[in-house]
Amino acid sequence: MKKKITMNESPFLDDREHLFENSIGFVIFDNFPVSEGHSLVIPKRVYSSYFDSTEEELRGLNELMFQTKDYLDKKFKPQGYNCLLYTSDAADEEDS
């Protein structure tokens, strides 16, 4: 049976190693990577839409994204990046 994740929970707020972290969020490697270095930038505050981010959160998340890009450039030398963001119901994850 699948359990819907609510706004008070996040499947990413576990004990995984953080590649980078600041007061706004953190970066983890994806457990089911599409490509080498597939990473997730996660806000510490749980909310369903990127567009609900405060200006301070946007700055902090952007800082983490660029820090991660610099790291991935050096470690994996990717040819490019796909940067996705989730909003509203698209952000609702399901756990098995």
Side-chain angles (χ1 to χ4, degrees), residues 13 16-28 40-45 47 53-68:
L13 299 176
R16 276 188 258 188
E17 180 181 349
H18 295 177
L19 297 173
F20 304 104
E21 185 169 4
N22 62 22
S23 64
I24 300 300
F26 55 91
V27 179
I28 57 175
L40 304 173
V41 178
I42 309 292
K44 290 180 180 178
R45 180 172 73 89
Y47 52 103
S53 302
T54 65
E55 286 185 32
E56 179 183 12
E57 287 169 331
L58 292 172
R59 281 190 299 275
L61 295 172
N62 202 42
E63 176 185 299
L64 289 169
M65 184 173 58
F66 278 88
Q67 187 176 13
T68 302

